[in-house]
C-alpha cells in the first residue's frame, strides 16, 4: 500500500546525493555582511560584452515585473533546504534592460567586496533563475543578501550570490571566487559537480 504523495513529490527524490535536509536556514559566506544606510548609493551594473553598459537603481529594479518562485536549495557543504518561496525579478526581466552581445556565453555575478561567481549564460537565463529581494514574504535580512541576491536553485547554492552589485557578460568562461579555489565551473547538484575535478 502507498500512503505517500505523488511519487515525484517524495522528499527523498528531491534531495540530491549526499545532501541532508535542514529546516533551519544556515547563513554561509566568505567575508563581511554589508549594511546599507542609503540605498540611493546602491546600483546594479550590467556590463562586459554588451552594446552599452547599464546601471539600474534600486527603485528601477523594484519597478520591474515581480515574480514568486518556489524551490529547493542545495549548499555544496551538504545541506539542502526545501520549499523556499522567493519574491523578486526573473533574470530574464533583468536581461531585457541591456543589449547583451550574442557572443556572450558566460556570466560573472559580482557581489560586494569583490566576491564573484561564474556560470554559463543559459543557466543564468533559466526561467527558474532570479534576483530575489524577499524570502517567504519577508525582505531579505542583511545576512541572507539584502537588498538583492541571486537565486539559481538548479546549481549548488554558492552560485546564488548575495549582495549582488553587477552582472558581467563574457565570451569566455572565467572562474569566480570559489571556482578559483577548486569549486566547479557549473555545479549541478544532481551530478554532484562539487569540485573542478568531479
Ligand atoms: N556575496 C556572497 N554570496 C554568497 C556567498 C559568499 O560568500 N558571498 N556564499 C554562497 C554560499 S556558499 C551559499 S551556501 C549561500 C548561502 O546563502 P545563505 O547564507 O542565505 O544561506 O550564499 C552564497 N552566496
Ligand atoms: Mo554553500
Amino acid at each position: 500500500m502507498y500512503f505517500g504523495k505523488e511519487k515525484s513529490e517524495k522528499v527523498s527524490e528531491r534531495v540530491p546525493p549526499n545532501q541532508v535536509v535542514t529546516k533551519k536556514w544556515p547563513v554561509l559566506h566568505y567575508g563581511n555582511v554589508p549594511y546599507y544606510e542609503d540605498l540611493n548609493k546602491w546600483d546594479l551594473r550590467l556590463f562586459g560584452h554588451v552594446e552599452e553598459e547599464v546601471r539600474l537603481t534600486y527603485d528601477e529594479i523594484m519597478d520591474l515585473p515581480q515574480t514568486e518562485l518556489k524551490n529547493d536549495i542545495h549548499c555544496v557543504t551538504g545541506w539542502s533546504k526545501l520549499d523556499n518561496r522567493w519574491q523578486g525579478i526573473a533574470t530574464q526581466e533583468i536581461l531585457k534592460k541591456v543589449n547583451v552581445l550574442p557572443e556572450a556565453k558566460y556570466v560573472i555575478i559580482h557581489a560586494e567586496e569583490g566576491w564573484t561567481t561564474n556560470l554559463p549564460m543559459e543557466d543564468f537565463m533559466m526561467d527558474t533563475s532570479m534576483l530575489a529581494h524577499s524570502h517567504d514574504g519577508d525582505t531579505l535580512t542583511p545576512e541572507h543578501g539584502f537588498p538583492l541576491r541571486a537565486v539559481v536553485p538548479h546549481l549548488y547554492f554558492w552560485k546564488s550570490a548575495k549582495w549582488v552589485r553587477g552582472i558581467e557578460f563574457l565570451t569566455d568562461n572565467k572562474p569566480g571566487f570559489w571556482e578559483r579555489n577548486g569549486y566547479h565551473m557549473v555545479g549541478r547538484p544532481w551530478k554532484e559537480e562539487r569540485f573542478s575535478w568531479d
Side-chain angles (χ1 to χ4, degrees):
M1 216 182 289
Y2 180 62
F3 294 102
K5 294 186 196 167
E6 287 301 310
K7 203 162 173 254
S8 61
E9 287 186 15
K10 277 203 299 189
V11 162
S12 59
E13 286 173 14
R14 288 169 56 182
V15 183
N18 296 307
Q19 294 291 115
V20 175
V21 173
T22 173
K23 290 273 177 219
K24 287 198 200 132
W25 187 7
V27 170
L28 215 84
H29 53 260
Y30 179 87
N32 302 302
V33 175
Y35 295 91
Y36 300 91
E37 276 160 25
D38 184 3
L39 282 182
N40 289 319
K41 292 183 190 138
W42 182 97
D43 61 9
L44 180 73
R45 190 173 161 222
L46 309 175
F47 66 108
H49 220 67
V50 297
E51 243 167 53
E52 203 177 334
E53 180 175 323
V54 173
R55 280 176 190 263
L56 299 174
T57 66
Y58 181 71
D59 290 340
E60 283 169 339
I61 298 259
M62 297 306 272
D63 282 341
L64 293 176
Q66 300 288 311
T67 186
E68 176 173 288
L69 294 173
K70 195 177 155 187
N71 54 46
D72 303 335
I73 56 180
H74 312 291
C75 171
V76 72
T77 61
W79 56 266
S80 292
K81 187 177 183 305
L82 307 184
D83 296 321
N84 301 279
R85 282 187 306 113
W86 304 92
Q87 295 79 28
I89 299 97
T91 53
Q92 290 177 8
E93 288 295 337
I94 302 279
L95 285 165
K96 287 181 190 167
K97 303 308 272 180
V98 62
N99 289 320
V100 178
L101 298 176
E103 306 84 50
K105 295 286 182 282
Y106 301 93
V107 164
I108 289 202
I109 309 177
H110 292 256
E112 295 289 353
E113 296 194 334
W115 193 91
T116 54
T117 187
N118 64 300
L119 60 163
M121 186 78 177
E122 56 185 305
D123 292 278
F124 181 75
M125 283 176 55
M126 294 239 312
D127 54 12
T128 48
S129 299
M130 73 190 299
L131 299 184
H133 52 71
S134 303
H135 177 271
D136 288 350
D138 297 321
T139 302
L140 291 173
T141 60
E143 291 72 21
H144 286 301
F146 177 85
L148 199 68
R149 75 172 300 158
V151 178
V152 183
H154 73 286
L155 302 180
Y156 280 122
F157 206 41
W158 90 78
K159 304 278 181 181
S160 293
K162 305 193 272 193
W163 317 300
V164 174
R165 292 300 303 275
I167 313 289
E168 182 180 2
F169 301 93
L170 304 168
T171 52
D172 298 303
N173 207 357
K174 220 168 78 177
F177 179 83
W178 285 120
E179 294 84 2
R180 279 198 298 277
N181 289 284
Y183 283 84
H184 200 276
M185 295 294 264
V186 183
R188 285 166 289 210
W190 290 96
K191 295 194 168 174
E192 271 202 87
E193 293 173 341
R194 296 174 193 270
F195 305 104
S196 48
W197 50 87
D198 283 339

